[in-house]
Amino acid sequence: MTTLPITRVPLKQMDPAMLVFELDREIQRLMPGTENSELVTSAATMASFLHRKQTRFVRGDLPRVPYIEHPLRVALRLLRWGVVDAELIAAALLHDVVEDCSKELLEAFGHPSEKPLDCLSRIYGRRVAQLVGAVTNPENSTSYEEHVTLLANSGSRALLIKASDLKDNAGSIRHQLGHGQDSRMYRMLFKYMPAVEIVGKGLRSSLCCHTGQQCTMVAVAEMEDLSHDLAALSAEHGID
């Protein structure tokens, strides 16, 4: 049987079906084994179910797309950066479920009096739940920038998830300007610019503590490119 060449279609050009097929192919290529495949497939299935009624919200006159595209891209981007940690990929797929779907999570999968992260811990293990918790925006008065700073200084591998998340969210701002939501895009730009710098610094610091982290080196480069793009975008639109 002829083996098809591995192509690198840009993630933003993939619909949900293509993203799922690509995720499965990359898992089989980079992390072969039934246990890895089952963990990632289960996490992708749960995320798809919980996000099934949601769409990406800041679209203006652009077509609204299924929300699940975002966590699928966050997970796939990590694989393309060289991450070979099935629990980290599972957490990337689930990274928004506590923040956006905690009620649905507990209604469908929870036990009586169980909290969302405890539910994930029971199903996927303590580490996956901890990774998801690390990137979940807190409900208290902690600001977004403070939350990102705490994560960047924690030494957690969840910082890679946040880097991919920022690449997907902040990296979309340029393409969404001019489609009826510019004032909101400017607020997002103001929010994400310092976060990208903080995450990049945290990733660079982690390189000093560990060796052989090619994926982290790639993530650092991606944050540097994103930071430069956001700075240029800010200058183009006169945003301080």
Side-chain angles (χ1 to χ4, degrees), residues 155-157 203-213 216-217:
S156 171
R157 294 273 285 172
L203 290 168
R204 286 190 292 273
S205 295
S206 71
L207 287 172
C208 300
C209 303
H210 306 282
T211 57
Q213 291 195 38
T216 304
M217 295 175 65

Side-chain angles (χ1 to χ4, degrees), residues 153-170:
N153 294 333
S154 69
S156 171
R157 294 273 285 172
L159 191 59
L160 286 166
I161 299 175
K162 176 53 69 176
S164 183
D165 182 47
L166 284 170
K167 182 71 175 179
D168 208 62
N169 286 329

Side-chain angles (χ1 to χ4, degrees), residues 16 51-52 54-56 63-71 73:
H51 290 301
R52 70 193 183 283
Q54 299 173 347
T55 57
R56 293 285 274 168
R64 297 182 76 87
V65 298
Y67 190 89
I68 190 59
E69 289 187 4
H70 169 64
R73 284 195 301 264

Side-chain angles (χ1 to χ4, degrees), residues 32-202:
T34 303
E35 186 175 345
N36 289 334
S37 178
E38 288 181 350
L39 175 62
V40 173
T41 299
S42 177
T45 301
M46 176 182 277
S48 297
F49 174 76
L50 294 174
H51 290 301
R52 70 193 183 283
K53 296 180 181 180
Q54 299 173 347
T55 57
R56 293 285 274 168
F57 65 98
V58 186
R59 303 299 297 177
D61 61 6
L62 294 171
R64 297 182 76 87
V65 298
Y67 190 89
I68 190 59
E69 289 187 4
H70 169 64
L72 286 169
R73 284 195 301 264
V74 170
L76 264 168
R77 187 174 292 107
L78 291 176
L79 289 166
R80 289 187 172 187
W81 288 354
V83 171
V84 287
D85 179 341
E87 290 180 326
L88 192 66
I89 300 303
L93 289 162
L94 298 164
H95 80 273
D96 275 336
V97 300
V98 172
E99 193 171 315
D100 296 340
C101 319
S102 58
K103 180 180 178 182
E104 294 85 351
L105 170 67
L106 294 177
E107 286 177 349
F109 305 103
H111 286 176
S113 303
E114 196 170 40
K115 295 181 180 180
L117 286 174
D118 292 333
C119 178
L120 290 181
S121 181
R122 173 173 51 80
I123 297 171
Y124 295 108
R126 182 180 178 185
R127 181 166 179 256
V128 170
Q130 287 176 333
L131 290 166
V132 172
V135 295
T136 298
N137 292 327
E139 296 181 352
N140 57 30
S141 59
T142 302
S143 70
Y144 180 74
E145 188 170 332
E146 289 171 336
H147 163 62
V148 173
T149 300
L150 288 171
L151 174 59
N153 294 333
S154 69
S156 171
R157 294 273 285 172
L159 191 59
L160 286 166
I161 299 175
K162 176 53 69 176
S164 183
D165 182 47
L166 284 170
K167 182 71 175 179
D168 208 62
N169 286 329
S172 298
I173 294 174
R174 178 178 292 278
H175 307 291
Q176 294 195 41
L177 283 168
H179 291 277
Q181 291 282 344
D182 283 8
S183 60
R184 188 160 194 171
M185 291 298 100
Y186 295 149
R187 291 196 297 272
M188 289 178 64
L189 182 60
F190 186 78
K191 170 185 176 180
Y192 287 136
M193 284 181 65
V196 171
E197 291 286 340
I198 293 165
V199 169
K201 182 178 179 180

